[in-house]
Coordinates of all heavy atoms in Angstrom, one line a residue:
R37 N 109.7 111.1 143.8 CA 109.2 111.7 145.1 C 110.3 112.5 145.8 O 110.0 113.4 146.6 CB 108.7 110.6 146.0 CG 107.3 110.1 145.6 CD 106.9 109.0 146.6 NE 107.6 107.8 146.1 CZ 107.7 106.7 146.7 NH1 107.1 106.5 147.9 NH2 108.3 105.7 146.2
T38 N 111.6 112.2 145.5 CA 112.7 112.9 146.2 C 113.2 114.1 145.4 O 114.1 114.8 145.9 CB 113.8 111.9 146.5 OG1 114.3 111.4 145.2 CG2 113.4 110.8 147.4
G39 N 112.7 114.3 144.2 CA 113.2 115.5 143.5 C 113.1 115.4 142.0 O 112.5 114.5 141.5
P40 N 113.7 116.4 141.3 CA 113.5 116.4 139.9 C 114.3 115.3 139.2 O 115.2 114.7 139.8 CB 114.2 117.8 139.5 CG 115.1 118.1 140.6 CD 114.5 117.4 141.8
G41 N 113.9 115.0 138.0 CA 114.6 113.9 137.2 C 116.0 114.3 136.8 O 116.8 113.4 136.4
I42 N 116.3 115.5 136.7 CA 117.6 116.0 136.4 C 118.1 116.9 137.5 O 117.4 117.9 137.9 CB 117.6 116.8 135.1 CG1 117.0 116.0 133.9 CG2 119.1 117.3 134.7 CD1 116.9 116.8 132.6
T43 N 119.2 116.5 138.1 CA 119.6 117.2 139.3 C 120.5 118.5 139.0 O 120.4 119.5 139.8 CB 120.4 116.2 140.2 OG1 119.6 115.1 140.4 CG2 120.8 116.9 141.5
Y44 N 121.3 118.4 138.0 CA 122.4 119.4 137.8 C 122.1 120.3 136.6 O 121.8 119.7 135.5 CB 123.7 118.8 137.8 CG 124.0 118.0 139.1 CD1 124.0 116.6 139.1 CD2 124.2 118.7 140.3 CE1 124.2 115.9 140.3 CE2 124.4 118.0 141.5 CZ 124.4 116.6 141.4 OH 124.6 115.9 142.6
P45 N 122.3 121.6 136.7 CA 122.1 122.4 135.5 C 123.0 122.1 134.3 O 122.7 122.3 133.2 CB 122.4 123.8 136.0 CG 123.1 123.7 137.3 CD 122.8 122.3 137.8
G46 N 124.2 121.5 134.6 CA 125.1 121.1 133.5 C 124.4 120.1 132.6 O 124.6 120.1 131.4
T47 N 123.7 119.2 133.2 CA 123.0 118.1 132.5 C 121.9 118.7 131.7 O 121.6 118.3 130.5 CB 122.5 117.1 133.5 OG1 123.6 116.6 134.3 CG2 121.8 115.9 132.7
I48 N 121.2 119.7 132.3 CA 120.1 120.4 131.6 C 120.7 121.1 130.4 O 120.2 121.0 129.2 CB 119.4 121.4 132.5 CG1 118.6 120.5 133.6 CG2 118.5 122.3 131.7 CD1 118.1 121.4 134.7
Y49 N 121.8 121.8 130.6 CA 122.5 122.6 129.5 C 122.9 121.6 128.3 O 122.6 121.9 127.2 CB 123.7 123.3 130.0 CG 124.5 124.0 129.0 CD1 124.1 125.2 128.5 CD2 125.7 123.4 128.6 CE1 124.9 125.9 127.5 CE2 126.5 124.1 127.6 CZ 126.0 125.3 127.1 OH 126.8 125.9 126.1
R50 N 123.5 120.5 128.7 CA 123.9 119.6 127.6 C 122.7 119.0 126.9 O 122.7 118.8 125.7 CB 124.8 118.5 128.2 CG 126.2 119.0 128.7 CD 127.1 117.8 129.0 NE 126.5 116.8 129.8 CZ 126.4 116.8 131.2 NH1 126.9 117.8 131.9 NH2 125.9 115.8 131.8
S51 N 121.7 118.7 127.7 CA 120.5 118.1 127.1 C 119.8 119.1 126.1 O 119.4 118.7 125.0 CB 119.5 117.7 128.2 OG 120.0 116.7 129.0
I52 N 119.7 120.3 126.5 CA 119.1 121.3 125.7 C 119.9 121.5 124.4 O 119.4 121.5 123.3 CB 118.9 122.7 126.4 CG1 117.9 122.6 127.5 CG2 118.5 123.8 125.4 CD1 117.9 123.8 128.4
G53 N 121.2 121.5 124.6 CA 122.1 121.6 123.4 C 121.9 120.4 122.4 O 121.9 120.6 121.2
S54 N 121.8 119.2 123.0 CA 121.6 118.1 122.1 C 120.2 118.1 121.4 O 120.1 117.8 120.2 CB 121.6 116.8 122.9 OG 122.9 116.6 123.4
F55 N 119.2 118.6 122.1 CA 117.9 118.7 121.4 C 117.9 119.8 120.4 O 117.3 119.7 119.4 CB 116.8 118.9 122.5 CG 116.4 117.6 123.1 CD1 116.6 117.4 124.5 CD2 115.8 116.6 122.4 CE1 116.3 116.2 125.1 CE2 115.4 115.4 123.0 CZ 115.7 115.2 124.3
A56 N 118.7 120.9 120.7 CA 118.8 122.0 119.7 C 119.5 121.5 118.4 O 119.1 121.8 117.3 CB 119.6 123.2 120.3
S57 N 120.5 120.6 118.6 CA 121.2 120.1 117.4 C 120.2 119.2 116.6 O 120.2 119.2 115.4 CB 122.4 119.2 117.9 OG 123.4 120.0 118.4
L58 N 119.4 118.4 117.3 CA 118.5 117.6 116.6 C 117.4 118.4 115.9 O 117.2 118.2 114.7 CB 117.8 116.7 117.7 CG 116.8 115.7 117.1 CD1 117.0 114.3 117.6 CD2 115.3 116.1 117.4
A59 N 116.9 119.4 116.5 CA 115.9 120.3 115.9 C 116.5 121.0 114.7 O 115.8 121.2 113.7 CB 115.4 121.3 116.9
H60 N 117.7 121.4 114.8 CA 118.4 122.1 113.7 C 118.5 121.3 112.4 O 118.4 121.9 111.3 CB 119.8 122.5 114.2 CG 120.6 123.3 113.1 ND1 120.3 124.6 112.9 CD2 121.6 122.9 112.3 CE1 121.1 125.0 111.9 NE2 121.9 124.0 111.6
R61 N 118.5 120.0 112.6 CA 118.6 119.1 111.4 C 117.2 118.8 110.8 O 117.1 118.3 109.7 CB 119.3 117.8 111.8 CG 120.8 118.1 112.1 CD 121.4 116.9 112.8 NE 122.8 117.0 112.9 CZ 123.4 117.7 113.9 NH1 122.7 118.3 114.8 NH2 124.8 117.7 114.0
L62 N 116.2 119.0 111.6 CA 114.8 118.6 111.1 C 114.3 119.4 109.8 O 113.7 118.7 109.0 CB 113.8 118.8 112.2 CG 114.0 117.8 113.4 CD1 113.0 118.1 114.5 CD2 113.8 116.4 112.9
P63 N 114.5 120.7 109.7 CA 114.0 121.3 108.4 C 114.6 120.6 107.2 O 113.8 120.4 106.2 CB 114.5 122.7 108.6 CG 114.6 123.0 110.0 CD 115.1 121.7 110.6

């Protein structure tokens, strides 16, 4: 109710990077 689940863009950037690494290994 008080805001987004991720507050800072650095956390978003690191999260996207981690998911990109995971996706890269899937093929």
Side-chain angles (χ1 to χ4, degrees):
R37 283 178 280 170
T38 59
I42 303 175
T43 305
Y44 303 106
T47 305
I48 292 169
Y49 174 78
R50 290 190 317 274
S51 298
I52 293 170
S54 294
F55 282 113
S57 292
L58 183 132
H60 181 74
R61 291 167 174 81
L62 290 175

